[in-house]
Amino acid sequence: MSDRARRWRKRKRKLRLETLLVHAGERLPTPLSHPSTTPIQLATAFESDSALRLDQIFGGQLRGYVYSRYANPTTEALEETLAALDGGQSAIAFSSGMAALHAAFLSLELSPGCRLLASRDLYGATYTLFRSLLAPFGVEIEFLDLTDMDSLRAALKRKPQPRGLFLEVLTNPLLYVIDVQQAVRLCRRAGVPVIVDNTFATPLLLRPLELGAALVVHSTTKYLAGHGDVTGGVAAALDAERAAALRTLRKIGGGTPGPFDSWLALRGVKTLSLRMSRICDNALAIASFLERHPRVERVRYPGLRSHPQHATAVKLFEKRGYGGLVAFEIRNADKARVLRFMDRLTVIGCATTLGDIYSQLLYPRISSHRELPPRQRMALGICDNLVRLSVGIEHPDDLIDDLTAALGE
Ligand code: PLP
């Protein structure tokens, strides 16, 4: 027992009720057994047995906790798991996918006049982050069609040298597959770090750090946590230096997740492999069904032979699966018809998220891509009859029955 604990026991007998109500339950001796699963440690701050030890923890000579914005044991348990999942030096958890992306971009040490390369097809909020947070500081963002590696080759030759390349493995909502392997190879040769948003593919399909990417980011809100009840993000770094920079950025920027959210994500990620395998099987079955359906004009799913980058998907994912997202166009449907189709679904919910155990449908025209002018939306290939389905773990026949009923004859 520490001196402090001994002093407390002696003192306790003389304390008044008001003081005991605040302190008694917090001062139990450390038990000899420990919980068999990670507890949720909600404490904002941590005490130490001695002031000297506290000083050493603050100074980094001793490993420990002082303040939960800097580090928290529950969040660290999540980070340990995610670092193993991504194969990185270290993983830093954030309060959302966007917070993780923001810190990832700042870690590139951007400055006015510098260039940043990015895929043309991106999650809408990432695009907005570029435009509203980075561009006003003089960062020039160059959007490229990364299904054509020549555009990357040309951009890498232009001066000044880009500070980084950002891409999503599977793009949203059109599900193009970017050849990350080739993009990383070209960028490494040019000394340009690559940041990959791997939210859609998950580390079970692809581990970009193993290909040489500098950073991989996920919205853990999606497949990693997987149950639709937590918002979070993570950035995993290939080298220790970048990981330390990200940790500092989080500490200062304050995008730290709460311990309860970390615990939910940790609990969710334990079953990622089981969920992904079911989700990928279901998605392939549904994509194949939709491809044969007379009311469906076109299906985009990387596991179908008809997908323009099917060969790239086979190369990258090595038959581990092709993800849980299926995009499709309903034949001759305008907005009113698509809305009627959505209203007829009963098992599949209509929600602006993905990667859950539940199947969910999103209509980009009224949600993720609502703000884009119609002409720009069309130019990107996001037509008024396009919907995106995030396939869950339900029985595939129930999902197919639901789609059959909603599509009609
Ligand atoms: N990246 C991708 C590919 C996403 O789809 C999303 C959200 O949908 C994000 C990042 C942002 O994640 P969050 O909503 O957790 O901030």
Side-chain angles (χ1 to χ4, degrees):
M1 194 190 293
S2 69
D3 284 354
R4 201 147 187 254
R6 219 169 277 124
R7 278 204 311 279
W8 162 253
R9 268 178 70 165
K10 229 166 118 189
R11 188 77 208 280
K12 194 174 149 189
R13 284 181 238 125
K14 294 183 192 141
L15 291 174
R16 289 163 189 83
L17 188 58
E18 287 80 353
T19 311
L20 285 172
L21 285 177
V22 178
H23 288 278
E26 311 287 353
R27 306 279 180 124
L28 294 174
T30 313
L32 290 175
S33 47
H34 60 273
S36 60
T37 183
T38 305
I40 310 170
Q41 302 223 24
L42 292 170
T44 308
F46 297 81
E47 293 185 21
S48 237
D49 281 351
S50 74
L52 175 65
R53 194 167 285 177
L54 191 63
D55 180 34
Q56 289 168 328
I57 296 171
F58 262 117
Q61 296 102 312
L62 277 184
R63 203 180 128 92
Y65 306 99
V66 286
Y67 191 56
S68 272
R69 175 159 52 77
Y70 307 172
N72 169 282
T74 310
T75 301
E76 254 184 28
L78 171 68
E79 292 176 336
E80 193 73 17
T81 310
L82 297 181
L85 188 63
D86 269 311
Q89 265 287 335
S90 177
I92 296 94
F94 286 86
S95 53
S96 70
M98 291 314 299
L101 282 169
H102 189 211
F105 297 134
L106 294 184
S107 81
L108 294 173
E109 295 176 4
L110 305 171
S111 56
C114 76
R115 286 169 71 217
L116 179 63
L117 307 179
S119 169
R120 189 192 60 176
D121 300 289
L122 289 179
Y123 171 56
T126 310
Y127 191 72
T128 311
L129 188 158
F130 283 144
R131 279 222 313 228
S132 55
L133 294 188
L134 302 188
F137 287 96
V139 178
E140 190 197 318
I141 298 123
E142 225 169 287
F143 293 98
L144 308 171
D145 174 5
L146 290 182
T147 58
D148 168 18
M149 282 296 146
D150 283 342
S151 69
L152 177 59
R153 281 190 192 90
L156 288 171
K157 278 189 196 136
R158 288 193 287 274
K159 295 284 170 224
Q161 187 189 46
R163 288 286 165 88
L165 167 73
F166 174 71
L167 61 89
E168 293 172 3
V169 180
L170 294 171
T171 70
N172 185 24
L174 295 169
L175 303 175
Y176 293 117
V177 184
I178 305 302
D179 191 340
V180 186
Q181 196 173 22
Q182 220 189 338
V184 169
R185 200 179 304 138
L186 293 173
C187 285
R188 278 179 76 102
R189 223 177 279 156
V192 173
V194 179
I195 300 179
V196 177
D197 183 334
N198 200 23
T199 300
F200 282 18
T202 82
L204 289 187
L205 298 193
L206 186 75
R207 306 209 314 165
L209 297 181
E210 285 176 353
L211 301 176
L215 263 184
V216 61
V217 178
H218 305 271
S219 164
T220 52
T221 316
K222 308 299 187 306
Y223 292 102
L224 269 49
H227 293 70
D229 49 17
V230 58
T231 301
V234 65
L238 187 63
D239 64 64
E241 207 177 311
R242 200 175 294 276
L246 275 165
R247 225 168 259 291
T248 304
L249 280 164
R250 185 188 66 177
K251 185 175 167 183
I252 299 164
T256 315
F260 184 54
D261 281 356
S262 294
W263 184 85
L264 281 172
L266 178 63
R267 184 187 168 113
V269 81
K270 290 176 199 293
T271 55
L272 176 68
S273 124
L274 299 173
R275 285 185 283 112
M276 273 315 274
S277 124
R278 174 68 178 240
I279 283 172
C280 290
D281 288 351
N282 277 0
L284 184 58
I286 287 164
S288 309
F289 153 78
L290 288 170
E291 202 171 36
R292 292 189 303 269
H293 199 288
R295 298 294 303 271
V296 174
E297 197 170 319
R298 178 173 181 180
V299 184
R300 295 168 182 269
Y301 183 66
L304 295 177
R305 281 176 198 282
S306 56
H307 189 282
Q309 291 95 35
H310 177 64
T312 308
V314 171
K315 178 183 89 169
L316 290 179
F317 305 152
E318 293 173 341
K319 305 209 169 127
R320 289 181 286 265
Y322 298 95
L325 291 161
V326 181
F328 59 99
E329 290 164 26
I330 304 172
R331 194 178 295 284
N332 300 329
D334 56 8
K335 180 180 166 186
R337 274 199 182 187
V338 174
L339 296 182
R340 274 203 300 281
F341 159 77
M342 291 164 74
D343 281 340
R344 284 200 290 259
L345 293 167
T346 47
V347 178
I348 298 169
C350 293
T352 311
T353 191
L354 63 110
D356 286 341
I357 49 173
Y358 321 101
S359 292
Q360 285 152 336
L361 187 116
L362 171 129
Y363 183 23
R365 158 88 159 80
I366 63 159
S367 52
S368 56
H369 294 72
R370 189 184 185 100
E371 303 305 330
L372 276 192
R375 201 182 294 162
Q376 199 179 340
R377 220 172 30 230
M378 292 303 200
L380 285 172
I382 302 165
C383 314
D384 280 1
N385 62 348
L386 177 88
V387 291
R388 187 199 74 191
L389 177 63
S390 170
V391 179
I393 62 168
E394 302 94 336
H395 195 290
D397 292 348
D398 286 329
L399 299 176
I400 288 174
D401 288 350
D402 205 29
L403 288 165
T404 305
L407 283 166
E409 292 305 310

